[in-house]
Amino acid sequence: MLRGFNRGALFAPLAAVGVIALALLLGGCFFVSAIVDNLSRTREQTVVFHGMASKRQEIARSLSAQLSWDEAVRHLDNHFDRAWARDNIGRFFHDTQGIAKSFVLDAGDRPLIASKGGREAPTAIFKPVQPKVQAVIAQVRAAEAQRNRGGAVMTPLNDSLQSDTIALVDGVPYIFTATLVQPDFGTARIKGSKAPIVVTGMEIGKDFLAAFGRRYMLD
């Protein structure tokens, strides 16, 4: 039989080892949790990035179908028809695509008509939008000039002459798309060297984000 055995002397190291093990276990859990959170965040960011790119292309295609059209050339370029523009640009894009704002610009990139919420609005509402879309309008004009010179045209979105951007106007984010009006079958022709451009703005608001979240299963 051992004499003078000190149970406290044995318990203290064991307790210390237990505390260290517990600390390592908790630290490992937190570390793994942090890794999982980072991976999840990275995945969600990737989904949002590609989802937004897909949405922008979807908007562009829907606009192109209405603006690469002989009738659009007749009513927006050959002879500007305000009623046609109001119904087939402002109201149509709002009702079918959820476009919040739209503008038909002339060859000098000045607004001929403006629409907000599907209704005709004063062209003055283009003023805060103009500096936000100058770059995409310039890209479309550059592609138009290249095409008119007979060069090959490559655009950021598709075969149509289009460009887009995301910008804040009055604190609200929009997807702005600039689309050149052009014929499809050629029964109508642009009368000058520059065609009208239609600028549309889709608001990235609650409805947009709710639909986007459902589509990509994101909160």
Side-chain angles (χ1 to χ4, degrees), residues 82-115:
R82 179 174 296 275
W84 192 94
R86 182 177 59 246
D87 294 339
N88 291 274
I89 303 299
R91 184 181 301 167
F92 179 80
F93 286 150
H94 175 268
D95 292 349
T96 61
Q97 305 299 325
I99 297 296
K101 296 180 180 180
S102 61
F103 310 91
V104 178
L105 310 183
D106 64 12
D109 301 334
R110 296 175 295 267
L112 293 169
I113 189 172
S115 176

Side-chain angles (χ1 to χ4, degrees), residues 63-142:
L63 297 173
S64 179
Q66 187 75 354
L67 297 175
S68 294
W69 185 26
D70 291 347
E71 286 301 298
V73 172
R74 289 191 181 94
H75 294 284
L76 300 180
D77 177 76
N78 296 171
H79 173 71
F80 181 68
D81 185 335
R82 179 174 296 275
W84 192 94
R86 182 177 59 246
D87 294 339
N88 291 274
I89 303 299
R91 184 181 301 167
F92 179 80
F93 286 150
H94 175 268
D95 292 349
T96 61
Q97 305 299 325
I99 297 296
K101 296 180 180 180
S102 61
F103 310 91
V104 178
L105 310 183
D106 64 12
D109 301 334
R110 296 175 295 267
L112 293 169
I113 189 172
S115 176
K116 182 178 180 180
R119 297 178 178 274
E120 186 174 352
T123 56
I125 69 169
F126 184 63
K127 188 173 182 179
V129 174
Q130 186 174 14
K132 309 292 185 177
V133 298
Q134 280 181 337
V136 293
I137 291 172
Q139 289 173 5
V140 171
R141 287 297 184 203

Side-chain angles (χ1 to χ4, degrees), residues 20 26 31 47 110 173 212 216:
I20 292 172
L26 291 175
F31 180 71
V47 169
R110 296 175 295 267
F212 188 90
Y216 294 100

Side-chain angles (χ1 to χ4, degrees), residues 76-77 103-112 126 130 133-156 160-164 177-182 190-199:
L76 300 180
D77 177 76
F103 310 91
V104 178
L105 310 183
D106 64 12
D109 301 334
R110 296 175 295 267
L112 293 169
F126 184 63
Q130 186 174 14
V133 298
Q134 280 181 337
V136 293
I137 291 172
Q139 289 173 5
V140 171
R141 287 297 184 203
E144 178 186 34
Q146 185 179 1
R147 183 191 63 184
N148 291 345
R149 290 194 298 268
V153 174
M154 298 297 290
T155 59
S160 299
L161 301 192
Q162 293 177 293
S163 187
D164 74 347
T177 307
T179 305
L180 193 76
V181 175
Q182 53 188 345
I190 298 296
K191 62 184 179 183
S193 60
K194 292 184 177 183
I197 286 179
V198 173
V199 174

Side-chain angles (χ1 to χ4, degrees), residues 51-52 54-63 92-103 115-117 129 133 164-169 172-178 198-209 211-212 215:
M52 189 63 72
S54 176
K55 181 62 178 179
R56 291 163 72 167
Q57 291 176 343
E58 183 182 304
I59 294 169
R61 285 192 295 268
S62 68
L63 297 173
F92 179 80
F93 286 150
H94 175 268
D95 292 349
T96 61
Q97 305 299 325
I99 297 296
K101 296 180 180 180
S102 61
F103 310 91
S115 176
K116 182 178 180 180
V129 174
V133 298
D164 74 347
T165 187
I166 296 178
L168 287 174
V169 174
V172 178
Y174 291 86
I175 299 174
F176 286 110
T177 307
V198 173
V199 174
T200 60
M202 175 173 283
E203 182 178 335
I204 306 177
K206 291 181 179 179
D207 292 342
F208 178 98
L209 293 175
F212 188 90
R215 183 174 183 177

